[in-house]
Amino acid sequence: MIIQRVVLNSRPGKNGVPVAENFRLEQSTIADTVQAGQVRVKTLYLSVDPYMRCRMNEDTGSDYLQPWQLSEVADGGGVGVVEESKHENLAKGDFVTSFTWPWQTAAVLDGSVLQKLVPQLVNGRLSYFLGAAGITGLTALLGIREKGHVAVGANQTMVVSGAAGACGSLAGQIGRLEGCTRVVGIAGTDEKCSILVQEMGFDAAINYKKGNVAEQLRELCPGGVDVYFDNVGGEISDTVINQMNQNSHIILCGQISQYNKDVPYPPPLPPDIEKVQKERNITRERFLVLNYMDKHEASVLQLCQWIQEGKLKVRETMVEGLANIGAAFQSMMSGGNIGKQIVSVSK
């Protein structure tokens, strides 16, 4: 069976900026028949995420991420439909997902790596299982619950950097749902800031490309910052940490401003900021959602409930066609999108 797939064409280098040409669309084949325990799936949606930048390096800098190999198919979060099955728990027509879905139009996969989906949980929006009701939503919810120490009635203020991104836009809303009384986002355009406040329910948002971020934070967070959901690292995070309260908490979700630099993860703080962190007893611990597999099912159900109730607003940037996944990746890494970046592969 002839298919199309996307392979890693070249590496941008540890300090390079990814471009669409780092990926290559090519024709390939898969088996016409499936073996016992296997299924053939048609790919519907693929997820494009910041962590994938690390997989473009020969050394990902992480013990849980495997590098993509040159001229081999890339992979990540995906959703598809079963077209043929020889797996006892999966039937033709079932919708399924996996963290390691190959970037190709169709595939023969081991049925044991696939999770069966219930479309009704997300009002039929299957792509949500890659975002708000998938690993992105889990990262936001479990990050807040496990590392944020948010408590109803504690009058806590949360700041979210990268707040218009896939995880940040959910994290601010979940922070509110979990008990924060004030949520402030940091984003890179006036449009993004407006969406955060008017659509996502943030109390305020700061365009870090305009004005003095430290001054705006002091004005918008007069009682200081109790919880910081950190998606970006770098100077923005240093500015926020300077205004954090005693015994406050950093949820170390991502460091996208550092992903194109040859630095360890998590990147070390500048000495003066590290001093602030230690003196104020601010927690800053690495957070891996995969360490909480036992809480995934209940957490996904909670996310789906909020979606159905309209309490969790979801934004997606949808790109059509497998051929455009490289451009989608470049756009996502440049910060040009609002919400989750999804590639629609098949209708």
Side-chain angles (χ1 to χ4, degrees):
M1 180 178 175
I2 298 173
I3 62 162
Q4 287 187 315
R5 68 177 192 171
V6 170
V7 302
L8 185 65
N9 187 50
S10 59
R11 300 189 190 278
K14 280 202 170 184
N15 296 302
V17 177
V19 294
E21 290 73 25
N22 291 135
F23 300 95
R24 181 177 76 246
L25 181 72
E26 63 181 29
Q27 190 170 284
S28 186
T29 60
I30 60 173
D32 290 323
T33 58
V34 300
Q35 304 300 314
Q38 294 182 327
V39 297
R40 188 179 80 247
V41 292
K42 179 173 74 172
T43 305
L44 299 177
Y45 300 103
L46 293 170
S47 176
V48 179
D49 302 286
Y51 82 87
M52 293 174 172
R53 172 63 183 87
C54 303
R55 301 191 67 190
M56 299 180 80
N57 298 335
E58 290 182 80
D59 177 9
T60 64
S62 169
D63 54 3
Y64 71 97
L65 287 179
Q66 295 299 312
W68 286 328
Q69 299 301 319
L70 289 172
S71 296
E72 292 190 10
V73 66
D75 68 292
V79 165
V81 61
V82 175
E83 294 191 313
E84 183 181 354
S85 175
K86 288 188 178 178
H87 188 276
E88 58 182 1
N89 296 327
L90 297 171
K92 182 177 179 180
D94 284 346
F95 294 104
V96 290
T97 187
S98 169
F99 292 138
T100 56
W101 198 286
W103 286 8
Q104 52 194 56
T105 50
V108 174
L109 302 174
D110 184 339
S112 64
V113 306
L114 298 173
Q115 178 186 354
K116 193 172 175 179
L117 299 174
V118 181
Q120 293 84 351
L121 289 176
V122 289
N123 302 321
R125 298 290 296 271
L126 286 167
S127 58
Y128 282 13
F129 285 115
L130 296 177
I135 193 70
T136 310
L138 284 170
T139 301
L141 177 57
L142 290 172
I144 288 168
R145 286 184 172 176
E146 300 298 326
K147 300 295 184 182
H149 303 277
V150 173
V152 175
N155 195 31
Q156 292 163 297
T157 293
M158 172 186 279
V159 170
V160 183
S161 59
C167 198
S169 61
L170 298 172
Q173 298 178 74
I174 292 170
R176 171 85 73 201
L177 290 166
E178 289 290 286
C180 286
T181 54
R182 186 161 183 78
V183 179
V184 176
I186 302 175
T189 69
D190 288 342
E191 179 194 10
K192 290 178 179 178
C193 289
S194 177
I195 288 170
L196 290 174
V197 174
Q198 296 180 14
E199 188 176 314
M200 306 289 188
F202 284 61
D203 292 285
I206 296 169
N207 181 349
Y208 70 86
K209 295 180 180 179
K210 286 186 174 181
N212 186 301
V213 175
E215 289 180 1
Q216 293 178 77
L217 270 176
R218 278 192 289 271
E219 180 182 338
L220 296 172
C221 307
V225 178
D226 302 295
V227 185
Y228 174 39
F229 199 98
D230 185 6
N231 285 303
V232 302
E235 292 182 11
I236 294 294
S237 290
D238 296 346
T239 301
V240 176
I241 293 169
N242 253 326
Q243 299 194 31
M244 294 187 72
N245 293 325
Q246 195 75 24
N247 302 318
S248 54
H249 305 283
I250 299 168
I251 302 166
L252 192 58
C253 178
Q255 302 281 277
I256 194 169
S257 72
Q258 309 297 303
Y259 285 169
N260 294 329
K261 300 177 183 178
D262 186 8
V263 294
Y265 186 87
L269 296 171
D272 57 326
I273 303 300
E274 185 177 17
K275 182 180 179 183
V276 168
Q277 181 206 348
K278 290 180 177 178
E279 288 179 347
R280 299 181 192 171
N281 193 34
I282 302 170
T283 63
R284 182 181 185 256
E285 300 168 345
R286 190 172 182 174
F287 169 71
L288 298 178
V289 71
L290 297 178
N291 288 346
Y292 301 93
M293 294 295 292
D294 60 319
K295 299 184 179 181
H296 280 203
E297 185 176 354
S299 298
V300 167
L301 290 175
Q302 174 65 85
L303 292 163
C304 290
Q305 180 181 335
W306 283 335
I307 291 169
Q308 290 176 335
E309 293 172 348
K311 293 179 179 178
L312 197 59
K313 302 293 192 299
V314 182
R315 273 271 186 157
E316 290 180 327
T317 300
M318 189 71 70
V319 175
E320 299 291 335
L322 185 62
N324 295 315
I325 199 167
F329 187 86
Q330 179 179 344
S331 176
M332 181 268 303
M333 285 301 299
S334 69
N337 307 315
I338 299 174
K340 182 73 177 179
Q341 180 85 341
I342 300 287
V343 174
S344 175
V345 178
S346 303
K347 292 292 186 184

